[in-house]
Amino acid sequence: AKERGRGRWEIFEPELNERAQRRMSDETALGAAIARQEFLLHYQPVVDLRTGAVTGFEALVRWQSPERGLVPPDQFIPLAEETGLINVLGRWVLEEACRQGRLWQLALGDPTLQVAVNVSARQFQQVDLVEQVATVLRTTGLPPASLLLEITETAVMGDPAKAAATMRRLAAHGVRFALDDFGQGYSSLGHLKRFPIDVVKIDKEFVDGLTRNASDAQIVQAVLTMAQALGLEVTAEGIEDHAQLDRLRTLGCNHGQGYLLSRPLPAAAATALLTARTPL
Ligand code: C2E
Ligand code: CA
Ligand code: CA
Ligand code: CA
């Protein structure tokens, strides 16, 4: 046993060490990037599927790294979550998105333009989240009803009672909620009645399958029917072709996002799109 123990030690220790060290240097790099403010937001238009009008944008964070170029969120959000750095980063995202959203509202004379911000599970558990959001709304002047916080089922299902309480406090300020990636998790829309949700976002996976297989089409249809019964809006994510768009329109889906309509855009390009007022 001793020998096996030693063997294991010899085999695994360098590997563990390497992994721990890589993680530590990644964490240091991410912390430094936050301190140096190397992050920026891209904005993906959310489109009214009936009219083609842009009703708002989802803010999506990117890391502009001097060494690595433009790094997508999938490559740093998980580490930011694990280390807690997401709280600092997320606060910046919230403030920047609200600031930009208010600028657009003033430029267009349209206070109903929506800004959607992703809130991760860890961020959602911060004790001062409600104060943070209230402060950002006050300092940026964005009307609370223009802010849509996107949370996933996993984030609320960890501690449903506490999540519902936090959401109700935020909703009391007038903030709206979207349930992101719907369909990925386990609960039905019925379970979600206890949460003050305004919008359900149908996950890209189901939009992909919508025109290819009957079961995905049935799921999308069921979500739309239930959402209607519960008075919720529905946004379909990841629309990539006209067949999907036509089908979603026919089914009465309110809003859509996807590369077919527009990729996420830098702020200046999003401004140009908005001021052109061309339906997508
Ligand atoms: P998500 O919230 O589900 O965002 C949608 C993702 O799908 C975005 O990827 C978007 O660029 C991409 N997308 C949109 N339309 C299409 C399409 O038609 N086809 C395909 N293939 N993809 C499409 P992105 O920007 O790389 O973000 C990935 C994930 O990172 C997001 O998924 C979200 O979970 C997370 N994330 C992004 N920004 C933030 C943030 O500020 N805070 C937090 N906590 N998470 C964020
Ligand atoms: Ca989202
Ligand atoms: Ca999503
Ligand atoms: Ca997703």
Side-chain angles (χ1 to χ4, degrees), residues 40 114 123 136 144 147 171 183 220:
L40 58 102
Q114 298 276 305
Q123 260 181 293
V136 166
L147 178 61
V220 171

Side-chain angles (χ1 to χ4, degrees), residues 58 118 150 180-181 201 203 237:
E58 177 177 0
N118 292 286
E150 297 198 358
D180 207 352
D181 302 341
K201 297 192 77 172
D203 195 73
E237 300 191 303

Side-chain angles (χ1 to χ4, degrees), residues 54-69:
V54 176
T55 59
F57 292 93
E58 177 177 0
L60 295 158
V61 71
R62 275 96 182 86
W63 174 10
Q64 183 65 70
S65 159
E67 293 88 30
R68 296 166 60 185

Side-chain angles (χ1 to χ4, degrees), residues 85-118:
L85 286 168
I86 192 68
N87 292 347
V88 188
L89 181 60
R91 193 173 317 185
W92 176 81
V93 169
L94 179 70
E95 175 147 24
E96 180 62 14
C98 291
R99 194 190 59 76
Q100 182 61 67
R102 185 57 184 159
L103 282 179
W104 283 326
Q105 290 188 340
L106 293 171
L108 291 176
D110 178 5
T112 68
L113 188 85
Q114 298 276 305
V115 183
V117 174
N118 292 286

Side-chain angles (χ1 to χ4, degrees), residues 240-255:
E240 290 184 343
D241 62 49
H242 281 101
Q244 292 163 353
L245 182 63
D246 291 346
R247 191 66 167 276
L248 287 161
R249 278 198 176 119
T250 310
L251 289 171
C253 181
N254 312 93
H255 295 102

